[in-house]
Amino acid sequence: MPKAQKIIIDTDPGQDDAVAILLALASPELDILGITAVAGNVPLKLTEKNARKICELAGKPDTKVFSGAIRPLVRELVTAEEVHGKTGLDGPDLPEPKMKLQDQHAVDFIVETLMAEESGTVTLCPLGPLTNIALALIREPKIAKRIEKIVLMGGGFFEGGNVTPIAEFNIYVDPHAADVVFRSGVPIVVMPLDVTHKALTTSKRVAAFRKLGTRVGIATAQMLEFFERFDEEKYGTDGGPLHDPCVIAYLLKPELFKGRECNVSVETASELTMGMTVIDWWGVTKRPKNATVMRDIDHDGFFALLVERLGRL
Ligand code: RIB
Ligand code: CA
């Protein structure tokens, strides 16, 4: 087997983040150097605890979990308890974590790891607001050339937004951080709502997780049944979009996704369009192609990968 890909997962769990973390922990192709928590779906105190709960659910209590930014760079924190519940992981009743949180700040961990590891060998996987990533780039600009790539969930274009008519949550919460990341020159792969809205947790798919009959399988079904209800109601669909695992699935099976290189710019001034990702899919501007934006997914293949891998935990 080729050498495992070294990754750092930056996350705001969040049930969909949780499934992404489980997928990564179940996959030997990935070497998870650390999981860094950021404020987003719920406040930081909960996202860092939820990250540890998920590591223990996966039977991987030695995973290093770090706590990062408590709020966005400029704007006030906006959270999403209406989607994820008060704890951020409503659905299963997971025990309080026993594993310790790392003392080091997440941003310091990201910078020190990137400066210590061989240049161009570490991939960053942001699943929430980009505050930690932006702070690391600001604290030590040298890391920009040392990051292999960033694969992130965020933004939207033809699909519009999910927090405002035109802005997706991760970018909306911290548009200034997103602007720093998209201007950084780091190779970026984007999983926008245009992809994730095609990966719906239909009842048949949720049943497949439950049918695993394992603690992970049952907890995943419970998480998805809670998490999907908000979007089912909003979009009138069977199931809700499973956003964050698309990032990890891309690392494991990039052939599941289709997209193209284009410019992504972030609105940070207008209140009307704050946090909008202006994605030049048709190349009508001369703006630099700073990202590979995905638009299509083999959703059956995606869920088959998820069930197979989570079945290993
Ligand atoms: O808009 C979806 C994104 O916002 C996902 O990452 C979800 O976990 C929330 O963070
Ligand atoms: Ca998330």
Side-chain angles (χ1 to χ4, degrees), residues 10-14 16-17 41 84 126-129 153 169-170 243-244:
D10 189 70
T11 179
D12 64 334
D16 60 320
D17 301 69
N41 285 320
H84 298 272
L127 310 177
M153 190 278 142
F169 180 81
N170 289 340
H243 307 286
D244 294 338

Side-chain angles (χ1 to χ4, degrees), residues 262-278:
C262 42
N263 176 266
V264 178
S265 298
V266 181
E267 176 62 69
T268 57
S270 147
E271 270 310 322
L272 179 63
T273 54
M274 182 59 72
M276 175 180 182
T277 46
V278 180

Side-chain angles (χ1 to χ4, degrees), residues 46-64:
L46 286 171
T47 58
E48 62 86 354
K49 186 198 301 189
N50 291 340
R52 290 186 285 147
K53 284 184 174 183
I54 292 302
C55 290
E56 290 188 342
L57 172 66
K60 310 266 182 181
D62 300 338
T63 312
K64 288 193 183 139

Side-chain angles (χ1 to χ4, degrees), residues 148-154 157 182 185-192 195 247 250 254 257-264 279-281 288-296:
E148 179 181 7
K149 64 181 176 298
I150 293 173
V151 185
L152 66 88
M153 190 278 142
F157 47 120
F182 281 105
V186 177
I188 300 175
V189 176
V190 181
M191 291 290 165
V195 162
V247 168
Y250 174 79
F257 301 92
K258 278 205 187 66
R260 68 170 67 152
E261 288 195 350
C262 42
N263 176 266
V264 178
I279 296 180
D280 186 5
W281 183 259
K289 293 181 175 175
N290 59 345
T292 302
V293 175
M294 295 299 164
R295 189 180 179 194
D296 285 300

Side-chain angles (χ1 to χ4, degrees), residues 2-283:
K3 220 157 147 337
Q5 285 185 69
K6 288 184 280 189
I7 68 170
I8 294 173
I9 298 174
D10 189 70
T11 179
D12 64 334
Q15 290 87 351
D16 60 320
D17 301 69
V19 178
I21 294 168
L22 290 170
L23 177 60
L25 290 170
S27 300
E29 303 93 321
L30 304 177
D31 174 7
I32 303 169
L33 302 180
I35 295 178
T36 51
V38 67
N41 285 320
V42 285
L44 181 65
K45 219 72 225 87
L46 286 171
T47 58
E48 62 86 354
K49 186 198 301 189
N50 291 340
R52 290 186 285 147
K53 284 184 174 183
I54 292 302
C55 290
E56 290 188 342
L57 172 66
K60 310 266 182 181
D62 300 338
T63 312
K64 288 193 183 139
V65 175
F66 301 81
S67 183
I70 196 160
R71 53 152 297 161
L73 296 188
V74 175
R75 292 171 66 83
E76 291 301 316
L77 177 62
V78 170
T79 52
E81 286 84 352
E82 71 284 5
V83 179
H84 298 272
K86 219 172 26 43
T87 70
L89 264 193
D90 284 28
D93 182 12
L94 298 176
E96 287 299 291
K98 294 194 181 61
M99 65 183 276
K100 288 270 154 286
L101 179 69
Q102 298 295 308
D103 294 337
Q104 189 178 29
H105 191 281
V107 174
D108 294 336
F109 167 73
I110 292 170
V111 170
E112 286 187 15
T113 302
L114 286 166
M115 295 308 285
E117 294 288 341
E118 189 194 334
S119 182
T121 63
V122 178
T123 291
L124 302 184
C125 305
L127 310 177
L130 292 162
T131 319
N132 286 341
I133 312 300
L135 286 171
L137 285 162
I138 293 163
R139 183 171 166 295
E140 182 43 87
K142 288 198 198 86
I143 64 169
K145 291 220 175 326
R146 303 181 64 87
I147 299 167
E148 179 181 7
K149 64 181 176 298
I150 293 173
V151 185
L152 66 88
M153 190 278 142
F157 47 120
F158 302 133
E159 192 65 12
N162 59 1
V163 186
T164 74
I166 202 64
E168 176 279 328
F169 180 81
N170 289 340
I171 310 297
Y172 177 75
V173 168
D174 198 341
H176 300 90
D179 191 38
V180 167
V181 172
F182 281 105
R183 290 177 189 277
S184 67
V186 177
I188 300 175
V189 176
V190 181
M191 291 290 165
L193 297 179
D194 300 74
V195 162
T196 66
H197 280 199
K198 293 169 185 159
L200 298 183
T201 59
T202 62
S203 22
K204 201 160 144 274
R205 286 166 171 166
V206 173
F209 289 109
R210 179 169 275 109
K211 203 155 151 269
L212 289 172
T214 58
R215 256 167 31 96
V216 166
I218 292 163
T220 298
Q222 290 169 333
M223 282 194 278
L224 296 183
E225 279 167 347
F226 182 90
F227 164 73
E228 69 188 8
R229 82 216 181 292
F230 183 87
D231 284 328
E232 280 184 321
E233 209 163 291
K234 179 172 162 185
Y235 299 113
T237 48
D238 172 16
L242 189 53
H243 307 286
D244 294 338
C246 290
V247 168
I248 306 302
Y250 174 79
L251 299 178
L252 299 171
K253 293 187 94 173
E255 64 275 16
L256 290 174
F257 301 92
K258 278 205 187 66
R260 68 170 67 152
E261 288 195 350
C262 42
N263 176 266
V264 178
S265 298
V266 181
E267 176 62 69
T268 57
S270 147
E271 270 310 322
L272 179 63
T273 54
M274 182 59 72
M276 175 180 182
T277 46
V278 180
I279 296 180
D280 186 5
W281 183 259
W282 302 116

